[in-house]
Amino acid sequence: MKYTTAILLLYMVLLCACNTEKMKMAEETTTTPEAKNIEVATIQEMFYLPTAIGNVPVYNSFEGIEPLFQQKNDTLYIINFWATWCAPCVEELPYFEKINEAYREQKVKVILVSLDFKRQLETKLQPFLEKMPLRSQVVVLTDNKYNNWINKVDANWGGAIPVTVIYKGEQRQFFSDQFSDFEELENVIKKLI
Amino acid sequence: MKKIIFITLSVIVALVVFVAATQSTAGLKVGDTAKDFKLKNIDGKMISLSDFKDAKGFIINFTCNSCPFAVLYQDRVVEMQSKYGKSYPVINIMPNDVSIKPEDDFQHMQERAKEVGYQYYLLDAKQEVVRQFGAERTPHVYVLDRNLKVRYIGAIDDSPQNEEDVKINYVTSAIKAIENGKEPEPSFTKAIGCSIKFKK
């Protein structure tokens, strides 16, 4: 058992080392004060800026919402991927809403990322939100090149929804199944908060 | 001495972890050979891969009626069928438990096949074939060569929502690779779609 722990720790150290190196590189490239780079950055920023459906922002590219997964503060983030066409997703939305309500005095942030299809935002998502107004923050992601971004959320994401990322600082858990009830979700949150 | 014990134990632990990890994901991987099966087509006839004597390979597509991603791909699947079907039959297999998804039952399958033009749309009622393959979502594609060796697993192409935005059709590029005696690149992608509904 000791050895398993040792090996796991070694793996984790190696993984962390790789990550920080990548981050350093990212920092270097973004802080280069060259006019050309700044121009590129602005164009990219424009590209990542959301449009909107009602008052819900719609992102075309995963890069637009990527910072949501990288917050380094003491807030607990609960990020759930769902869609109106996904029955188990819709079933568990009330659990997230209940968390959002029950923990609003605490450093807890619930974000519901809708993966509804771009061409169905007005016909499916908008009527859904009018019928069932969500009090948690809702964003829409229509990035169609799934194989380019789902691994950035979690390598274990198979390719279906619902999935949920729950994290605070360096502690992070990925759930690739529907929560069976509110208590199951709340237990995870109680442990991490 | 201690060092040797530590190294030996580390290797053993690593092996155990590796074996556990590979066993937990059952099903076929690229390079494995698929087992033939016998399933009922929408016209009532039983279909096996061995029925296709002249096939150069197969496009096995686990799909269904109810999943929006499967619906997005219907026309593209029929397109593949008319383009490659003669040498690479497109075998659609419906793996869902119909008590969970009644709109995927045999009668609805027949209606959908007629509506969109599927030639083969087989019902895997016992969910044995889906388990053998290890498919997890619809649509989930396996491209086999003539020896039933798995050459590609994953999505059909890189743009589910919008056919005009397809940059790579993984299935046709796998077939081209097989034709040219090469390894498909990529040989694996994540199949994006709905989870297959297994009996509880």
Side-chain angles (χ1 to χ4, degrees):
Chain A
M1 192 53 211
K2 251 187 192 167
Y3 293 111
T4 329
T5 326
I7 288 170
L8 281 176
L9 276 174
L10 189 70
Y11 265 114
M12 279 159 86
V13 169
L14 283 173
L15 281 175
C16 289
C18 294
N19 277 342
T20 41
E21 202 145 300
K22 255 190 213 160
M23 269 163 50
K24 263 185 214 154
M25 275 172 62
E27 269 168 27
E28 272 163 29
T29 44
T30 47
T31 49
T32 316
E34 276 176 36
K36 264 186 193 170
N37 280 354
I38 289 164
E39 260 170 48
V40 172
T42 323
I43 291 164
Q44 276 179 348
E45 264 169 35
M46 276 165 61
F47 182 65
Y48 299 149
L49 276 179
T51 52
I53 182 110
N55 53 5
V56 174
V58 179
Y59 292 87
N60 264 324
S61 167
F62 177 73
E63 278 78 0
I65 66 161
E66 199 167 15
L68 294 178
F69 298 87
Q70 300 166 339
Q71 300 300 309
K72 305 242 180 280
N73 51 43
D74 58 354
T75 298
L76 178 71
Y77 289 87
I78 301 151
I79 308 174
N80 167 254
F81 287 87
W82 67 288
T84 57
W85 48 259
C86 163
C89 304
V90 172
E91 239 173 70
E92 66 173 4
L93 279 180
Y95 315 153
F96 294 104
E97 285 286 276
K98 208 169 157 187
I99 292 289
N100 183 59
E101 187 61 29
Y103 288 82
R104 64 178 171 176
E105 304 291 318
Q106 300 183 51
K107 289 185 174 172
V108 172
K109 177 110 183 121
V110 178
I111 301 160
L112 305 172
V113 183
S114 155
L115 294 184
D116 276 82
F117 301 141
K118 199 172 194 168
R119 66 181 81 159
Q120 293 184 342
L121 296 184
E122 276 160 25
T123 54
K124 294 268 168 73
L125 182 65
Q126 206 164 19
F128 179 92
L129 291 176
E130 278 163 16
K131 231 171 123 186
M132 183 182 171
L134 297 169
R135 304 191 70 167
S136 313
Q137 187 185 345
V138 179
V139 302
V140 181
L141 177 64
T142 57
D143 194 332
N144 182 39
K145 300 286 173 179
Y146 302 92
N147 264 286
N148 294 344
W149 63 264
I150 66 169
N151 278 346
K152 292 182 191 168
V153 174
D154 198 286
N156 291 320
W157 187 351
I161 47 175
V163 298
T164 305
V165 175
I166 301 181
Y167 82 98
K168 179 179 166 183
E170 297 297 311
Q171 281 181 297
R172 184 176 293 251
Q173 287 188 45
F174 178 73
F175 300 87
S176 55
D177 272 317
Q178 180 190 11
F179 287 95
S180 49
D181 50 36
F182 172 75
E183 283 69 34
E184 193 191 349
L185 174 62
E186 193 181 29
N187 283 338
V188 175
I189 285 152
K190 277 181 180 161
K191 271 181 208 153
L192 283 173
I193 205 166
Chain B
M1 190 58 200
K2 262 188 185 167
K3 229 182 194 175
I4 293 170
I5 293 173
F6 178 76
I7 290 167
T8 322
L9 277 172
S10 305
V11 170
I12 290 168
V13 168
L15 275 173
V16 168
V17 168
F18 177 74
V19 170
T22 46
Q23 279 183 347
S24 69
T25 48
L28 297 175
K29 294 190 178 52
V30 172
D32 291 348
T33 302
K35 236 171 82 182
D36 199 358
F37 48 77
K38 198 170 201 158
L39 293 174
K40 189 164 80 170
N41 193 17
I42 24 116
D43 58 7
K45 286 186 187 138
M46 299 303 284
I47 299 287
S48 290
L49 299 181
S50 56
D51 299 339
F52 301 88
K53 302 285 179 222
D54 301 324
K56 292 157 90 177
F58 295 92
I59 300 166
I60 312 284
N61 178 32
F62 290 91
T63 191
C64 66
N65 285 4
S66 58
C67 174
F69 278 89
V71 174
L72 284 169
Y73 275 107
Q74 283 171 170
D75 293 342
R76 280 176 261 183
V77 168
V78 174
E79 231 170 86
M80 286 198 300
Q81 179 182 288
S82 45
K83 224 168 153 184
Y84 300 97
K86 272 203 174 138
S87 31
Y88 294 85
V90 178
I91 312 289
N92 299 295
I93 300 177
M94 207 303 290
N96 281 343
D97 176 8
V98 298
S99 67
I100 301 172
K101 286 279 170 193
E103 64 265 52
D104 286 331
D105 71 11
F106 196 64
Q107 195 195 329
H108 286 92
M109 282 173 62
Q110 289 174 314
E111 287 166 13
R112 185 64 58 87
K114 203 174 162 191
E115 187 190 321
V116 301
Y118 292 148
Q119 195 175 0
Y120 301 105
Y121 194 15
L122 318 182
L123 175 62
D124 184 15
K126 290 182 184 163
Q127 303 192 311
E128 281 171 1
V129 177
V130 63
R131 286 183 200 280
Q132 263 169 33
F133 274 78
E136 290 176 65
R137 286 165 297 279
T138 54
H140 204 153
V141 172
Y142 292 70
V143 177
L144 314 180
D145 65 19
R146 67 167 82 235
N147 301 316
L148 305 191
K149 192 172 153 190
V150 180
R151 305 297 294 273
Y152 169 77
I153 301 176
I156 293 170
D157 61 40
D158 67 344
S159 178
Q161 290 186 47
N162 183 359
E163 194 179 346
E164 278 110 63
D165 204 21
V166 173
K167 299 276 186 294
I168 317 162
N169 185 313
Y170 302 119
V171 171
T172 56
S173 92
I175 287 174
K176 272 176 200 148
I178 295 172
E179 290 283 306
N180 296 326
K182 288 181 181 154
E183 288 304 320
E185 180 51 44
S187 60
F188 177 88
T189 59
K190 286 191 173 182
I192 309 298
C194 310
S195 58
I196 289 174
K197 310 297 183 264
F198 287 100
K199 277 192 186 77
K200 278 172 190 159

